[in-house]
Amino acid sequence: MHSNWRCDNCGDVPPFHVAEHINAEIVGAVLRESESSADRMPLWGPWPLPSGWTVTGVGWAGDDRSGVRATALACSGPEPLGGGPADLVFIAEQPGVGLGTRFAGIPGIDPGYLLSGTLAGHGVSSGPHAKIKVGGHLTPLWCVKSPEDRSAYVSEAKGIWLYAVAWPASAGYLLAEHVVLHDLSEGVPPELVFGAPSPYLHGGA
């Protein structure tokens, strides 16, 4: 007997928790949970928020034994091309968690094989597809093959995986604009705007 959660496809994985509501107090509670872990995880959020966008959810993966091993922040706003609704989820995770690949809709636990192009049909070109500022550093993002209803980008920041997953797929064009990710564990801007809970963070992926 053991306390690990088990995925039929990936094996043992840490459980994923999602706050039912979202506001500054709930973000603070998630950050305190992360700070209690041996390795504090960043909680990446766009700041300043793109025009018309709000923060719509927060989640984390881990348990009392392993601590927080991944964080996720959802944002919603107007789709940059068509103007309809769009959603973005930013994920920071340690190796071996599998949260980012779940939301991206790609196989496996870690995306390294995608970035190296070792799996036929899933490889990526050598050059990055977007660049955003993450924690004060210009960071390249690579688009990986994902289901047609979304676009998924992968990188590394602070030595761990960074994912940005967008619905619909065209919402990924937002990352071609001036997006800056701020680690909310270093301070939550009091002007941060919150919206209705994201359906994607609550199991809609």
Side-chain angles (χ1 to χ4, degrees):
M1 297 292 292
H2 54 77
S3 61
N4 287 352
W5 287 54
R6 186 166 184 83
C7 169
D8 291 339
N9 297 322
C10 304
D12 292 339
V13 294
F16 182 50
H17 315 267
V18 180
E20 292 187 8
H21 307 285
I22 185 66
N23 55 41
E25 289 75 18
I26 289 174
V27 171
V30 173
L31 292 174
R32 288 191 293 274
E33 184 76 19
S34 178
E35 288 171 356
S36 67
S37 301
D39 297 316
R40 184 183 62 78
M41 294 294 298
L43 178 62
W44 297 119
W47 186 255
L49 285 167
S51 179
W53 282 70
T54 61
V55 174
T56 54
V58 65
W60 68 101
D63 54 30
D64 292 340
R65 184 184 63 175
S66 64
V68 175
R69 298 188 59 204
T71 61
L73 189 86
C75 300
S76 302
E79 196 265 325
L81 297 182
D87 291 87
L88 265 169
V89 174
F90 296 99
I91 296 167
E93 71 172 48
Q94 296 174 2
V97 176
L99 184 64
T101 54
R102 171 200 162 187
F103 278 94
I106 57 180
I109 292 180
D110 290 324
Y113 70 94
L114 299 177
L115 300 184
S116 64
T118 58
L119 184 62
H122 288 273
V124 297
S125 63
S126 58
H129 300 97
K131 289 184 179 181
I132 61 176
K133 186 168 283 189
V134 182
H137 302 282
L138 194 62
T139 302
L141 295 172
W142 284 269
C143 185
V144 296
K145 188 176 182 180
S146 59
E148 293 182 357
D149 67 333
R150 73 198 75 179
S151 56
Y153 296 80
V154 180
S155 188
E156 291 185 61
K158 290 191 174 181
I160 57 178
W161 293 118
L162 165 66
Y163 294 81
V165 185
W167 294 265
S170 56
Y173 282 104
L174 184 73
L175 300 171
E177 301 178 4
H178 185 62
V179 173
V180 178
L181 294 187
H182 173 69
D183 183 0
L184 298 182
S185 68
E186 298 177 354
V188 179
E191 303 89 354
L192 206 62
V193 181
F194 299 94
S198 166
Y200 294 100
L201 200 62
H202 286 75

